Amino acid sequence: MKYHRLGIARWRALFLFFVVFLVGCEEDDAFWDVGTGGAGRPEKPLTADIRVVVTRKEKKEIEVLLIPGRTMPTEEYWLGVCYLCDVDPSERLPKYGDERGWGDPRQENRYGVFCSGEEKQVVIRAFARTKTGKTAYGGYVRVFPGVEGGTWAMAEKPRWTLAEDGRTVEFLSSVTGKVAGRLKRQGFCLAKPGTKPGEEGGAWLPVGEEFRARVDTLRRGIQYAVWAYLEDDLELRYSDSLHMRIPAPELLPEVETEEGATVWIRQVTAGGRVGETHGGKVLGAGIEWRGAEEDFKNDVTGWKTVEPGADGRFSVVRTVDRPGRWYYRAFVTTEYGTAYGAVRSVEVAPYAQYLPTVRTDMRPVSYTATAAVLAGKVLSDGGLEITERGFCYNLFPNPTIEDASVQVSGTTGPMTARIEGLSMDRLYHYRAYARNAAGTVYGDEWSIRIPSNEFRVEFRDLKARVASDGSVTLEVRIADDRKQKFRERGFCWDAYNSTPTVANHKRAYWSLYGSSYEVRLSSTYDVRRGTKYWVRAYVVTEEGVTWYSSDRANEAVSFTVPEKED
């Protein structure tokens, strides 16, 4: 086996087409083994119905057309092709990292595959790639450059049906493409999953002109891998593999659903016992829950499984989301399949009596420009231990713990908590909450709005004095600091914004003390001559809030540095 390297023709195509698909194809879907321990069917890879048609073949170039079918990704996607040279597709299909075809933007869904002309065969596969990075897999073709038309005859992936006797299996297939020379033989090959077709221990089912075979010697409950094959003057070729299993009801395990499920508030414990397994290995056991008896189906997808004990017994604890009657049954999965016990039921008493009681204080204890201290009280634990308590808040009514929340240690009694990151002049809704084994309870809902005028720093006498040397002295007086502690103070200016901010140009004053301060700007480094500027004073508080001049009559002042005299 060898991998093909791009030749000169491909690099010429890169220059002509300018379209590069940096995605690839991946391996075929793995067969889902029904014996998954009750853990459920794993998520299948994304698939797509894309047919590959060879429209033109030259010595060093193969042109293909991709035809999307009905089953395609719902997301927006790109089409492309990837390919391998001199590799048997029964052993490996093209995937990410292999060679890729190149699309021509003038011809929709058409792609060119460029070869050296020395390949025995080329396997070309279609793919679709979504914007979220998922790859959908399409069909593939095998092209033989030395054969007229370029496309080998291929046996389609086999299909199978089970007769009414429950034992006789009929396999079906067909041939697509052109046979090279003489068709020597065709049929089906059976082997163990994970092996290659034709390996020792497999079985051969030759067929005549009609690609159909019947067999009644397969064992029930055993999984088989099946390939269709054909051989002409070129070689023996196999189709994609089919995995099949004849159901074996008589080999299903036996399981009993035990009576007497126990209830503790919201938690229900139910058990089961594994009986006869008929020699099958136990892959998992569990309890399936439903709200009504008629909702049970022969599908345990998504239910948690446990490992039974030495005596076959097992139990599962579930927290229910409502009081009332619940139905349950035990199940067990072996390599032969899944069996179910009898359906039983249990009554879950209303658990509101066990819920805690909570009160939210109507007004916060205190607040600053960006935070508030809330208060409340857990009046009763409902007879159960308090596992969590605190406050939740949001910009919308009815906040829950799924929104912003803060926990407070303790059980019953008063509690306070500081919530951070609030914005002034916005309405926040908040309420206390407490949780125990019975559920979560919220107190009354109140709201808070932090008024900005209570914290806005007041500036006065903002001035800009321009000296003859072009320097500018900025000065201001803080008339009211609103009892806030400053982290920084200074001036900001800009030539294009009449309300400049610290994101433009700024100069901090070195001291945080004193009601008045000033800074000096240089015409060499800070401002340009002949340009008009606007300037504002600012302070940054310890809470990170930035205040600009609040003298609304004169929010910003302007100044112009004169041109330098000759």
Side-chain angles (χ1 to χ4, degrees):
M1 182 183 299
K2 62 180 181 180
Y3 292 92
H4 174 64
R5 297 184 180 274
L6 294 180
I8 298 176
R10 177 173 170 180
W11 296 112
R12 183 170 62 251
L14 281 171
F15 176 78
L16 294 175
F17 295 155
F18 294 100
V19 177
V20 179
F21 288 89
L22 297 179
V23 295
C25 302
E26 298 179 5
E27 300 290 350
D28 278 340
D29 306 345
F31 176 71
W32 174 63
D33 187 348
V34 297
T36 57
R41 187 188 300 266
E43 182 180 356
K44 288 187 176 181
L46 194 66
T47 58
D49 176 19
I50 312 173
R51 189 156 61 96
V52 185
V53 178
V54 177
T55 59
R56 181 170 58 89
K57 180 185 74 68
E58 297 179 355
K59 186 175 181 180
K60 295 186 178 182
E61 179 180 354
I62 303 166
E63 186 177 276
V64 298
L65 172 67
L66 301 188
I67 305 177
R70 293 184 177 181
T71 306
M72 295 298 293
T74 56
E75 306 175 45
E76 185 177 353
Y77 62 86
W78 297 90
L79 291 178
V81 293
C82 51
Y83 65 96
L84 287 173
C85 297
D86 296 331
V87 174
D88 191 333
S90 65
E91 299 178 356
R92 180 187 171 191
L93 285 174
K95 61 181 182 179
Y96 180 79
D98 296 324
E99 304 296 347
R100 290 183 292 276
W102 307 97
D104 185 346
R106 299 168 298 179
Q107 300 182 23
E108 184 177 4
N109 296 351
R110 291 187 179 272
Y111 299 85
V113 175
F114 301 93
C115 315
S116 66
E118 301 175 356
E119 293 81 6
K120 181 180 179 182
Q121 65 169 314
V122 180
V123 181
I124 305 172
R125 192 182 189 190
F127 65 84
R129 187 76 171 178
T130 68
K131 282 192 173 182
T132 58
K134 298 179 181 178
T135 303
Y137 316 110
Y140 72 91
V141 297
R142 298 171 71 177
V143 180
F144 183 60
V147 176
E148 181 68 24
T151 306
W152 276 5
M154 287 295 302
E156 293 290 334
K157 181 177 180 178
R159 308 178 302 279
W160 72 287
T161 59
L162 183 64
E164 293 183 359
D165 62 6
R167 302 192 68 88
T168 303
V169 178
E170 183 176 63
F171 295 107
L172 302 170
S173 184
S174 59
V175 178
T176 60
K178 185 175 181 180
V179 174
R182 180 174 57 92
L183 179 62
K184 296 180 179 180
R185 59 173 174 157
Q186 62 184 14
F188 301 94
C189 176
L190 283 70
K192 294 181 180 179
T195 62
K196 295 180 180 180
E199 288 188 349
E200 184 177 354
W204 295 84
L205 301 175
V207 300
E209 182 177 347
E210 186 178 14
F211 218 132
R212 181 190 304 263
R214 292 173 63 88
V215 59
D216 59 4
T217 58
L218 300 182
R219 294 178 56 190
R220 294 186 177 186
I222 302 300
Q223 184 176 325
Y224 293 90
V226 186
W227 295 264
Y229 70 86
L230 65 82
E231 183 179 12
D232 56 16
D233 288 342
L234 292 176
E235 67 172 10
L236 174 65
R237 298 184 290 281
Y238 298 93
S239 70
D240 291 337
S241 63
L242 161 75
H243 291 75
M244 53 82 62
R245 183 200 310 267
I246 302 177
E250 68 275 12
L251 296 181
L252 290 178
E254 298 175 8
V255 61
E256 175 188 352
T257 307
E258 295 185 342
E259 296 184 355
T262 59
V263 180
W264 186 76
I265 313 302
R266 296 166 58 94
Q267 293 183 339
V268 184
T269 303
R273 186 181 66 84
V274 178
E276 180 61 51
T277 63
H278 303 287
K281 180 182 178 181
V282 175
L283 302 176
I287 301 294
E288 182 183 8
W289 294 86
R290 300 293 179 187
E293 187 171 2
E294 59 270 18
D295 292 339
F296 285 102
K297 301 177 182 178
N298 290 337
D299 185 1
V300 295
T301 299
W303 295 104
K304 177 183 177 181
T305 60
V306 296
E307 183 177 350
D311 59 355
R313 297 183 182 276
F314 61 91
S315 63
V316 176
V317 179
R318 168 133 192 249
T319 300
V320 297
D321 57 4
R322 62 164 178 81
R325 183 157 295 276
W326 286 87
Y327 296 84
Y328 64 96
R329 67 177 178 180
F331 67 87
V332 61
T333 300
T334 68
E335 56 189 312
Y336 300 133
T338 301
Y340 305 89
V343 175
R344 306 193 186 281
S345 65
V346 62
E347 184 73 22
V348 178
Y351 38 77
Q353 57 183 318
Y354 301 103
L355 293 171
T357 306
V358 186
R359 184 192 72 201
T360 310
D361 287 1
M362 184 171 59
R363 293 183 177 84
V365 176
S366 61
Y367 59 86
T368 65
T370 60
V373 178
L374 308 180
K377 186 176 184 180
V378 179
L379 303 174
S380 169
D381 59 10
L384 303 173
E385 180 184 0
I386 297 294
T387 57
E388 184 181 324
R389 67 175 190 167
F391 298 88
C392 54
Y393 59 99
N394 202 341
L395 290 170
F396 304 99
N398 302 316
T400 69
I401 56 176
E402 302 299 326
D403 302 315
S405 63
V406 56
Q407 295 185 22
V408 180
S409 61
T411 55
T412 58
M415 60 179 178
T416 59
R418 179 183 175 90
I419 57 176
E420 307 277 356
L422 305 182
S423 299
M424 286 175 287
D425 297 326
R426 302 194 71 177
L427 185 66
Y428 289 89
H429 301 266
Y430 67 92
R431 55 182 176 176
Y433 76 90
R435 171 185 288 181
N436 63 12
T440 302
V441 171
Y442 297 93
D444 293 332
E445 177 183 329
W446 303 104
S447 61
I448 178 177
R449 185 194 304 271
I450 300 176
S452 60
N453 57 2
E454 291 188 16
F455 299 94
R456 186 177 296 278
V457 176
E458 293 294 333
F459 297 88
R460 290 289 185 273
D461 304 328
L462 175 61
K463 299 177 182 178
R465 293 185 286 103
V466 181
S468 58
D469 60 357
S471 63
V472 182
T473 300
L474 307 176
E475 59 184 47
V476 75
R477 178 174 61 87
I478 299 178
D480 191 344
D481 61 9
R482 303 294 186 182
K483 298 181 179 179
Q484 295 191 86
K485 294 182 179 180
F486 300 150
R487 190 171 60 187
E488 181 182 315
R489 61 180 184 171
F491 300 90
C492 54
W493 68 94
D494 193 60
Y496 307 100
N497 185 3
S498 60
T499 54
T501 70
V502 292
N504 301 128
H505 306 280
K506 76 168 187 175
R507 174 70 60 81
Y509 183 59
W510 62 272
S511 175
L512 299 178
Y513 301 100
S515 59
S516 299
Y517 63 92
E518 65 178 37
V519 300
R520 184 172 180 272
L521 307 182
S522 168
S523 60
T524 303
Y525 304 104
D526 302 315
V527 292
R528 300 189 304 271
R529 291 181 177 272
T531 303
K532 182 179 180 180
Y533 291 91
W534 285 269
V535 62
R536 287 200 294 177
Y538 75 89
V539 294
V540 180
T541 69
E542 288 190 340
E543 295 187 37
V545 179
T546 302
W547 294 115
Y548 299 99
S549 173
S550 58
D551 184 358
R552 297 302 181 182
N554 194 12
E555 171 96 2
V557 298
S558 62
F559 64 88
T560 301
V561 181
E563 296 285 355
K564 186 175 182 180
E565 296 181 0
D566 295 333

